[in-house]
Amino acid sequence: MKAIAIFDIDGVIRDVGGSYRRAIADTVEHFTGSYRPTLADIDRLKSEGIWNNDWEASRELIGRHFESRGQSRDAIALDYDEMVAFFQSRYRGSDPDNWTGYICSEPLLCTPDYFRHLTDAAIGWGFFSGAMRDEALYVLRGKLDLRNPALIAMEDAPGKPDPSGLFATISQVEAEDSTLPVVYAGDTVADLYTVQKAREHHPGRTWVGVGILPPHVRENPDRREAYEKTLKNAGATVVLDRVENLTPERILAIIHP
């Protein structure tokens, strides 16, 4: 094995602009009664680097909305479990055993061949995602037909930017402890902060953060430029349009400049 590539899932492997982020907007609108955040509003929140969990992001947007109107968020009496249930009813659908929600229409951002090319090039790979495990496997196994991918999901580790989940994913990829270079590809500031914290914990290892532009920012030149700058400021060595541009050749060039 020459290197290890770990991937975020949402915004990197699947387009969640019309699913997770739509569910955030639905949830905030429902619990505020009036305010529906735009994709740009959600991007601004996530650029703070600590709102990787979309349930917590929804609650924060709700709280900030009421504060902007002179109300204390403590007076809102928001039931977090009720809010999460509403979010999930939009994202998964109302039937927990037969998903019909937004998750069913998420476009893929890569093909199974991409991971075969990584394997052929002796690059190990896996996934560290803030999504719930069954939601992550819905795309990894269900859509990409990856039979037994190395995966650390929401239930398995603290949320980003805590690097514990990244370390745990790497341990599933490596046969034994090593100092192989690690590339982590993600679309948010929290993903790149995770790389920075991993470097602080294990400075003797090469850690490279790669930013991936989510589809919803690519078409607008101003938003694209701003988003790319945000990812670079958060520590991205390079920012790419799509994950499949992170070819085996590019990975090796990045880790051995």
Side-chain angles (χ1 to χ4, degrees):
M1 201 181 296
K2 298 176 182 176
I4 295 173
I6 307 298
F7 302 92
D8 181 34
I9 294 175
D10 303 329
V12 177
I13 304 301
R14 61 180 170 191
D15 181 359
V16 297
S19 58
Y20 271 128
R21 295 196 175 210
R22 184 179 175 187
I24 290 175
D26 287 355
T27 302
V28 174
E29 183 177 41
H30 178 78
F31 285 94
T32 61
S34 58
Y35 167 53
R36 184 176 183 85
T38 64
L39 288 173
D41 292 336
I42 297 169
D43 285 343
R44 278 191 290 271
L45 181 75
K46 286 184 173 283
S47 71
E48 297 175 11
I50 56 174
W51 305 109
N52 190 66
N53 182 305
D54 288 342
W55 300 338
E56 295 175 0
S58 299
R59 177 171 60 182
E60 182 64 18
L61 287 168
I62 293 167
R64 291 187 187 188
H65 169 74
F66 283 109
E67 286 179 340
S68 73
R69 302 181 65 173
Q71 298 175 253
S72 168
R73 66 175 68 194
D74 293 335
I76 300 170
L78 177 66
D79 186 310
Y80 185 70
D81 291 338
E82 180 184 349
M83 188 205 72
V84 169
F86 180 88
F87 183 105
Q88 293 299 94
S89 75
R90 292 300 190 266
Y91 182 64
R92 294 190 181 195
S94 57
D95 183 350
D97 299 318
N98 181 30
W99 293 357
T100 57
Y102 302 152
I103 189 173
C104 300
S105 58
E106 292 170 332
L108 290 176
L109 300 175
C110 65
T111 68
D113 285 342
Y114 174 68
F115 300 102
R116 285 193 278 270
H117 293 327
L118 293 179
T119 299
D120 291 345
I123 295 173
W125 49 271
F127 304 91
F128 172 37
S129 172
M132 296 183 73
R133 173 167 284 274
D134 52 357
E135 294 171 0
L137 291 174
Y138 182 87
V139 62
L140 298 181
R141 287 182 182 167
K143 292 188 174 182
L144 287 171
D145 197 30
L146 304 177
R147 290 296 85 199
N148 191 31
L151 169 66
I152 295 295
M154 178 194 288
E155 301 94 324
D156 305 320
K160 305 169 196 176
D162 188 308
S164 301
L166 180 58
F167 299 150
T169 311
I170 292 166
S171 69
Q172 292 184 14
V173 176
E174 292 178 328
E176 56 187 35
D177 289 341
S178 75
T179 56
L180 284 173
V182 175
V183 173
Y184 184 45
D187 70 318
T188 68
V189 169
D191 294 324
L192 297 164
Y193 283 176
T194 301
V195 176
Q196 291 187 28
K197 290 185 176 295
R199 190 179 296 120
E200 293 171 5
H201 280 70
H202 297 287
R205 189 167 197 164
T206 297
W207 301 92
V208 179
V210 173
I212 305 295
L213 293 175
H216 71 270
V217 306
R218 292 190 210 141
E219 296 180 0
N220 183 303
D222 292 337
R223 289 188 66 192
R224 176 194 181 93
E225 181 180 358
Y227 203 98
E228 182 173 355
K229 183 178 180 180
T230 296
L231 293 180
K232 286 185 175 179
N233 287 342
T237 298
V238 63
V239 177
L240 305 175
D241 272 8
R242 48 186 51 84
V243 71
E244 288 191 332
N245 290 348
L246 187 62
T247 61
E249 294 78 16
R250 191 150 201 172
I251 289 173
L252 296 177
I254 289 171
I255 63 177
H256 299 298

